[in-house]
Amino acid sequence: MSAPAIAPLERRSYGDVLFRASLTVAAVAIPLLLGFLVYELWVGSRLAIGEFGLGFVTSSEWNPVTGRFGALPLIFGTLFSSFLALLIAVPLSLGVAVYLTEFAPMAVRRPVAFVIGLLAAIPSVVYGLWGIFVLIPFLRATVYPFLEATLGFLPFFAGPIYGPSMLSAAIILAIMVMPYIMSVSREVLRAVPDSQREAALALGATRWEAVRTAVVPYARSGILGAIILGLGRALGETMAVTMLIGNRHEIAASLFAPGYTMAAAIANEFSEAVGDMHLSALAYVALVLFGVTVLVNAAARLLIWRVARGSGAGSSAL
Protein backbone atom coordinates (compact mmCIF):
# COMPACT_ATOMS: atom_id res chain seq x y z
CA MET A 1 0.00 0.00 0.00
CA SER A 2 1.59 3.27 -1.13
CA ALA A 3 1.93 6.21 1.25
CA PRO A 4 -0.45 9.14 0.63
CA ALA A 5 1.06 12.01 -1.31
CA ILE A 6 2.01 14.98 0.81
CA ALA A 7 0.43 18.19 -0.39
CA PRO A 8 2.79 21.03 -1.12
CA LEU A 9 3.39 23.42 1.75
CA GLU A 10 1.60 26.24 -0.04
CA ARG A 11 -1.55 24.11 -0.40
CA ARG A 12 -1.54 22.93 3.17
CA SER A 13 -0.87 26.29 4.82
CA TYR A 14 -3.99 28.32 4.16
CA GLY A 15 -2.89 30.76 6.84
CA ASP A 16 0.23 31.65 4.85
CA VAL A 17 -1.84 32.19 1.72
CA LEU A 18 -4.30 34.39 3.58
CA PHE A 19 -1.48 36.37 5.18
CA ARG A 20 0.20 36.91 1.82
CA ALA A 21 -3.07 38.04 0.26
CA SER A 22 -3.69 40.47 3.12
CA LEU A 23 -0.25 42.02 2.71
CA THR A 24 -0.80 42.33 -1.04
CA VAL A 25 -4.12 44.10 -0.51
CA ALA A 26 -2.52 46.46 2.02
CA ALA A 27 0.36 47.24 -0.37
CA VAL A 28 -2.02 47.92 -3.28
CA ALA A 29 -4.29 50.06 -1.09
CA ILE A 30 -1.56 52.63 -0.45
CA PRO A 31 -1.19 53.87 -4.07
CA LEU A 32 -4.95 53.60 -4.51
CA LEU A 33 -5.56 55.84 -1.51
CA LEU A 34 -2.93 58.25 -2.78
CA GLY A 35 -4.57 58.35 -6.18
CA PHE A 36 -7.98 58.89 -4.60
CA LEU A 37 -6.56 61.79 -2.57
CA VAL A 38 -5.10 63.45 -5.67
CA TYR A 39 -8.38 62.93 -7.55
CA GLU A 40 -10.44 64.53 -4.78
CA LEU A 41 -8.09 67.51 -4.61
CA TRP A 42 -8.29 67.91 -8.38
CA VAL A 43 -12.09 67.72 -8.35
CA GLY A 44 -12.27 70.30 -5.58
CA SER A 45 -9.90 72.67 -7.33
CA ARG A 46 -11.25 72.39 -10.92
CA LEU A 47 -13.05 75.72 -10.69
CA ALA A 48 -9.88 77.55 -9.65
CA ILE A 49 -7.75 75.64 -12.15
CA GLY A 50 -10.08 76.65 -14.95
CA GLU A 51 -10.11 80.28 -13.83
CA PHE A 52 -6.43 80.87 -12.97
CA GLY A 53 -4.50 77.99 -14.52
CA LEU A 54 -0.78 77.87 -13.77
CA GLY A 55 -0.86 81.60 -13.11
CA PHE A 56 -2.19 80.66 -9.69
CA VAL A 57 1.33 79.71 -8.55
CA THR A 58 2.91 82.93 -9.85
CA SER A 59 0.32 85.45 -8.64
CA SER A 60 0.50 87.19 -5.26
CA GLU A 61 -3.08 88.48 -5.08
CA TRP A 62 -5.43 86.91 -2.53
CA ASN A 63 -8.77 88.71 -2.39
CA PRO A 64 -11.86 86.64 -1.52
CA VAL A 65 -14.09 89.68 -2.10
CA THR A 66 -13.15 90.04 -5.76
CA GLY A 67 -12.53 86.34 -6.26
CA ARG A 68 -8.88 86.75 -7.27
CA PHE A 69 -6.41 84.29 -5.80
CA GLY A 70 -2.70 83.55 -6.13
CA ALA A 71 -0.51 81.21 -4.10
CA LEU A 72 3.03 82.55 -4.66
CA PRO A 73 3.42 84.05 -1.14
CA LEU A 74 2.07 80.81 0.34
CA ILE A 75 4.53 78.68 -1.61
CA PHE A 76 7.38 81.01 -0.70
CA GLY A 77 6.42 81.00 2.97
CA THR A 78 6.20 77.20 3.08
CA LEU A 79 9.55 76.58 1.43
CA PHE A 80 11.40 79.44 3.12
CA SER A 81 10.22 78.64 6.65
CA SER A 82 11.12 74.97 6.14
CA PHE A 83 14.57 75.93 4.81
CA LEU A 84 15.20 78.21 7.79
CA ALA A 85 14.03 75.50 10.17
CA LEU A 86 16.46 72.98 8.70
CA LEU A 87 19.24 75.58 8.73
CA ILE A 88 18.75 75.86 12.49
CA ALA A 89 17.85 72.26 13.32
CA VAL A 90 20.35 70.20 11.31
CA PRO A 91 23.62 71.38 12.96
CA LEU A 92 22.12 71.14 16.45
CA SER A 93 20.51 67.76 15.82
CA LEU A 94 23.62 66.27 14.26
CA GLY A 95 25.76 67.63 17.08
CA VAL A 96 23.53 66.04 19.71
CA ALA A 97 23.44 62.74 17.81
CA VAL A 98 27.23 62.64 17.50
CA TYR A 99 27.67 63.51 21.17
CA LEU A 100 25.23 60.85 22.36
CA THR A 101 26.74 58.19 20.11
CA GLU A 102 30.45 58.88 20.41
CA PHE A 103 31.22 60.95 23.49
CA ALA A 104 28.47 60.86 26.12
CA PRO A 105 28.76 58.42 29.04
CA MET A 106 26.11 55.72 29.29
CA ALA A 107 24.50 57.46 32.27
CA VAL A 108 23.74 60.45 30.03
CA ARG A 109 22.79 58.68 26.80
CA ARG A 110 19.62 56.95 27.93
CA PRO A 111 17.97 59.88 29.78
CA VAL A 112 18.69 62.29 26.93
CA ALA A 113 17.44 59.81 24.32
CA PHE A 114 14.26 59.36 26.37
CA VAL A 115 13.70 63.12 26.54
CA ILE A 116 14.21 63.39 22.77
CA GLY A 117 11.51 60.78 22.25
CA LEU A 118 9.16 62.75 24.50
CA LEU A 119 9.76 65.92 22.49
CA ALA A 120 8.64 64.13 19.33
CA ALA A 121 5.36 63.13 21.01
CA ILE A 122 4.30 66.65 22.04
CA PRO A 123 1.30 67.89 19.97
CA SER A 124 1.98 70.80 17.65
CA VAL A 125 -0.69 72.97 19.27
CA VAL A 126 1.24 72.74 22.55
CA TYR A 127 4.35 73.95 20.75
CA GLY A 128 2.26 76.78 19.33
CA LEU A 129 0.95 77.88 22.73
CA TRP A 130 4.44 77.71 24.20
CA GLY A 131 5.68 79.78 21.29
CA ILE A 132 3.03 82.46 21.82
CA PHE A 133 3.43 82.82 25.58
CA VAL A 134 7.15 82.08 26.04
CA LEU A 135 9.16 82.07 22.81
CA ILE A 136 7.82 85.19 21.09
CA PRO A 137 8.07 87.47 24.19
CA PHE A 138 11.64 86.27 24.75
CA LEU A 139 12.65 86.78 21.11
CA ARG A 140 10.96 90.17 20.88
CA ALA A 141 12.62 91.45 24.05
CA THR A 142 16.16 90.09 23.59
CA VAL A 143 17.12 88.22 20.41
CA TYR A 144 15.40 90.32 17.75
CA PRO A 145 16.69 93.70 19.06
CA PHE A 146 20.19 92.22 19.20
CA LEU A 147 19.93 90.92 15.61
CA GLU A 148 18.60 94.28 14.44
CA ALA A 149 21.39 96.17 16.20
CA THR A 150 24.20 93.94 14.89
CA LEU A 151 22.91 92.77 11.50
CA GLY A 152 20.41 95.48 10.69
CA PHE A 153 22.41 96.52 7.62
CA LEU A 154 21.19 93.28 5.98
CA PRO A 155 17.64 93.29 4.57
CA PHE A 156 16.91 90.03 6.39
CA PHE A 157 17.20 91.72 9.79
CA ALA A 158 15.78 95.14 9.00
CA GLY A 159 12.32 96.58 9.56
CA PRO A 160 9.90 96.68 12.47
CA ILE A 161 9.82 93.85 14.99
CA TYR A 162 6.33 92.34 15.23
CA GLY A 163 6.93 89.17 17.23
CA PRO A 164 4.88 86.75 15.10
CA SER A 165 7.10 86.45 12.05
CA MET A 166 8.78 84.17 9.58
CA LEU A 167 11.77 83.74 11.89
CA SER A 168 9.55 82.88 14.87
CA ALA A 169 7.80 80.21 12.82
CA ALA A 170 11.13 78.85 11.59
CA ILE A 171 12.46 78.59 15.15
CA ILE A 172 9.40 76.70 16.39
CA LEU A 173 9.61 74.44 13.32
CA ALA A 174 13.27 73.77 14.08
CA ILE A 175 12.39 72.78 17.64
CA MET A 176 9.67 70.46 16.33
CA VAL A 177 11.79 68.68 13.70
CA MET A 178 14.92 68.33 15.84
CA PRO A 179 13.70 65.20 17.73
CA TYR A 180 13.12 63.36 14.46
CA ILE A 181 16.50 64.28 12.99
CA MET A 182 18.27 63.54 16.28
CA SER A 183 16.67 60.11 16.75
CA VAL A 184 17.23 58.86 13.21
CA SER A 185 20.77 60.27 13.01
CA ARG A 186 21.62 58.65 16.33
CA GLU A 187 20.41 55.25 15.16
CA VAL A 188 22.31 55.59 11.88
CA LEU A 189 25.53 56.54 13.68
CA ARG A 190 25.10 53.59 16.02
CA ALA A 191 24.85 51.33 12.97
CA VAL A 192 28.34 52.34 11.78
CA PRO A 193 30.68 49.34 12.32
CA ASP A 194 33.19 49.68 15.12
CA SER A 195 35.90 48.78 12.62
CA GLN A 196 35.50 52.23 11.05
CA ARG A 197 36.27 53.94 14.35
CA GLU A 198 39.05 51.51 15.28
CA ALA A 199 40.77 51.90 11.91
CA ALA A 200 40.81 55.69 12.22
CA LEU A 201 42.07 55.54 15.81
CA ALA A 202 44.73 53.02 14.84
CA LEU A 203 46.06 55.47 12.26
CA GLY A 204 46.56 58.06 14.99
CA ALA A 205 43.34 60.06 14.68
CA THR A 206 41.77 61.64 17.73
CA ARG A 207 38.19 60.79 18.73
CA TRP A 208 36.88 63.89 16.97
CA GLU A 209 38.96 63.23 13.86
CA ALA A 210 37.68 59.65 13.75
CA VAL A 211 34.10 60.90 13.92
CA ARG A 212 34.67 63.60 11.30
CA THR A 213 36.63 61.53 8.79
CA ALA A 214 35.30 57.99 9.26
CA VAL A 215 31.99 57.78 11.13
CA VAL A 216 29.97 60.68 9.72
CA PRO A 217 31.01 60.14 6.06
CA TYR A 218 30.08 56.45 6.38
CA ALA A 219 26.63 57.37 7.69
CA ARG A 220 25.98 60.31 5.34
CA SER A 221 23.13 58.64 3.42
CA GLY A 222 21.28 57.79 6.61
CA ILE A 223 21.83 61.31 7.95
CA LEU A 224 20.38 62.72 4.74
CA GLY A 225 17.39 60.46 5.25
CA ALA A 226 16.92 61.92 8.71
CA ILE A 227 17.03 65.43 7.25
CA ILE A 228 14.41 64.47 4.66
CA LEU A 229 12.17 63.19 7.44
CA GLY A 230 12.51 66.53 9.21
CA LEU A 231 11.84 68.40 5.97
CA GLY A 232 8.63 66.46 5.42
CA ARG A 233 7.45 67.36 8.91
CA ALA A 234 8.31 71.02 8.39
CA LEU A 235 6.54 71.30 5.02
CA GLY A 236 3.26 69.96 6.33
CA GLU A 237 3.19 71.48 9.81
CA THR A 238 0.05 73.54 10.40
CA MET A 239 -1.02 74.58 13.89
CA ALA A 240 2.24 75.78 15.42
CA VAL A 241 3.17 77.69 12.27
CA THR A 242 -0.30 79.23 12.02
CA MET A 243 0.00 80.50 15.58
CA LEU A 244 3.47 82.05 15.17
CA ILE A 245 4.00 83.13 11.56
CA GLY A 246 1.65 86.13 11.56
CA ASN A 247 -0.52 84.99 8.61
CA ARG A 248 0.11 87.89 6.22
CA HIS A 249 -0.25 87.11 2.51
CA GLU A 250 2.87 88.80 1.20
CA ILE A 251 6.54 88.19 0.45
CA ALA A 252 8.89 90.23 2.62
CA ALA A 253 12.68 90.30 2.71
CA SER A 254 12.83 90.82 6.49
CA LEU A 255 12.70 87.76 8.72
CA PHE A 256 10.96 89.92 11.32
CA ALA A 257 7.95 90.40 9.01
CA PRO A 258 4.90 88.10 9.16
CA GLY A 259 4.42 85.49 6.47
CA TYR A 260 2.02 82.75 5.44
CA THR A 261 2.21 79.09 4.48
CA MET A 262 -0.05 76.87 2.44
CA ALA A 263 -1.02 74.69 5.37
CA ALA A 264 -1.74 77.75 7.54
CA ALA A 265 -3.93 79.32 4.84
CA ILE A 266 -6.02 76.16 4.54
CA ALA A 267 -6.41 75.86 8.31
CA ASN A 268 -7.33 79.53 8.73
CA GLU A 269 -9.72 80.04 5.84
CA PHE A 270 -11.35 76.74 4.93
CA SER A 271 -14.03 76.87 7.62
CA GLU A 272 -14.83 80.52 6.82
CA ALA A 273 -14.81 80.31 3.01
CA VAL A 274 -18.31 80.92 1.66
CA GLY A 275 -17.83 81.32 -2.08
CA ASP A 276 -17.26 78.41 -4.43
CA MET A 277 -14.19 80.10 -5.90
CA HIS A 278 -12.67 80.61 -2.44
CA LEU A 279 -13.18 76.94 -1.55
CA SER A 280 -11.81 75.86 -4.91
CA ALA A 281 -8.76 78.11 -4.46
CA LEU A 282 -8.04 76.53 -1.08
CA ALA A 283 -8.35 73.07 -2.64
CA TYR A 284 -5.95 74.26 -5.34
CA VAL A 285 -3.55 75.36 -2.59
CA ALA A 286 -3.79 71.87 -1.07
CA LEU A 287 -3.06 70.33 -4.47
CA VAL A 288 -0.05 72.61 -4.92
CA LEU A 289 1.17 71.73 -1.42
CA PHE A 290 0.91 68.06 -2.30
CA GLY A 291 2.84 68.66 -5.52
CA VAL A 292 5.54 70.72 -3.81
CA THR A 293 5.97 68.03 -1.15
CA VAL A 294 6.28 65.31 -3.77
CA LEU A 295 8.79 67.29 -5.84
CA VAL A 296 10.93 68.25 -2.85
CA ASN A 297 11.00 64.71 -1.49
CA ALA A 298 11.69 63.25 -4.93
CA ALA A 299 14.64 65.59 -5.38
CA ALA A 300 15.88 64.74 -1.90
CA ARG A 301 15.50 61.02 -2.58
CA LEU A 302 17.53 61.40 -5.77
CA LEU A 303 20.21 63.17 -3.75
CA ILE A 304 20.25 60.31 -1.24
CA TRP A 305 20.64 57.73 -3.98
CA ARG A 306 23.56 59.66 -5.44
CA VAL A 307 25.23 60.04 -2.05
CA ALA A 308 24.54 56.44 -1.03
CA ARG A 309 26.06 55.00 -4.22
CA GLY A 310 28.40 52.37 -2.90
CA SER A 311 28.19 51.53 0.77
CA GLY A 312 27.24 53.39 3.90
CA ALA A 313 25.22 53.05 7.03
CA GLY A 314 21.57 53.09 6.24
CA SER A 315 22.07 53.15 2.46
CA SER A 316 20.42 49.82 1.84
CA ALA A 317 17.27 50.99 3.58
CA LEU A 318 17.10 54.23 1.63
Side-chain angles (χ1 to χ4, degrees):
M1 184 176 180
S2 59
I6 300 177
L9 180 61
E10 213 174 305
R11 293 182 182 176
R12 290 187 292 117
S13 181
Y14 296 105
D16 289 348
V17 175
L18 181 61
F19 182 65
R20 180 177 180 180
S22 301
L23 291 181
T24 302
V25 171
V28 172
I30 294 175
L32 288 178
L33 290 174
L34 186 61
F36 180 74
L37 172 63
V38 174
Y39 174 76
E40 287 297 321
L41 290 176
W42 179 79
V43 169
S45 59
R46 278 189 302 179
L47 185 62
I49 293 175
E51 178 69 20
F52 308 113
L54 292 178
F56 183 78
V57 300
T58 60
S59 173
S60 298
E61 184 179 5
W62 190 271
N63 193 336
V65 177
T66 60
R68 305 302 301 175
F69 300 96
L72 182 60
L74 305 179
I75 298 172
F76 171 81
T78 301
L79 296 177
F80 192 54
S81 61
S82 300
F83 171 76
L84 285 178
L86 290 183
L87 199 63
I88 299 170
V90 169
L92 295 175
S93 301
L94 186 57
V96 172
V98 169
Y99 171 73
L100 291 179
T101 307
E102 305 295 332
F103 299 101
M106 190 60 64
V108 175
R109 294 183 185 181
R110 292 182 178 179
V112 174
F114 177 74
V115 172
I116 292 174
L118 287 181
L119 289 175
I122 297 176
S124 61
V125 68
V126 176
Y127 278 109
L129 289 174
W130 177 81
I132 290 175
F133 294 111
V134 178
L135 182 63
I136 285 182
F138 171 75
L139 295 175
R140 187 167 48 195
T142 57
V143 178
Y144 289 173
F146 172 76
L147 291 176
E148 185 183 30
T150 55
L151 300 174
F153 60 92
L154 298 174
F156 298 112
F157 302 101
I161 297 174
Y162 295 97
S165 61
M166 182 68 71
L167 185 55
S168 300
I171 292 174
I172 201 68
L173 273 179
I175 295 173
M176 295 178 68
V177 304
M178 280 176 60
Y180 298 92
I181 302 177
M182 286 180 198
S183 298
V184 178
S185 298
R186 177 172 171 266
E187 294 302 321
V188 170
L189 291 172
R190 290 178 60 186
V192 175
D194 289 337
S195 58
Q196 293 290 118
R197 303 174 177 86
E198 293 168 357
L201 294 174
L203 291 173
T206 63
R207 289 287 300 275
W208 166 243
E209 289 173 338
V211 170
R212 182 172 57 85
T213 61
V215 177
V216 172
Y218 189 89
R220 62 186 181 275
S221 60
I223 293 172
L224 277 176
I227 296 173
I228 301 309
L229 180 63
L231 176 61
R233 174 70 190 272
L235 287 173
E237 179 53 43
T238 304
M239 288 309 301
V241 174
T242 304
M243 298 166 76
L244 271 72
I245 200 169
N247 303 320
R248 179 186 293 177
H249 192 86
E250 68 177 21
I251 298 177
S254 176
L255 298 179
F256 300 147
Y260 219 1
T261 66
M262 290 184 277
I266 296 170
N268 276 333
E269 301 184 23
F270 195 83
S271 61
E272 300 177 357
V274 292
D276 292 338
M277 184 59 72
H278 195 180
L279 288 170
S280 182
L282 292 173
Y284 199 177
V285 170
L287 184 62
V288 172
L289 176 59
F290 179 84
V292 168
T293 304
V294 170
L295 289 177
V296 170
N297 282 276
R301 183 66 59 180
L302 178 62
L303 176 63
I304 290 177
W305 283 339
R306 290 177 64 89
V307 171
R309 189 174 297 166
S311 61
S315 60
S316 60
L318 296 170

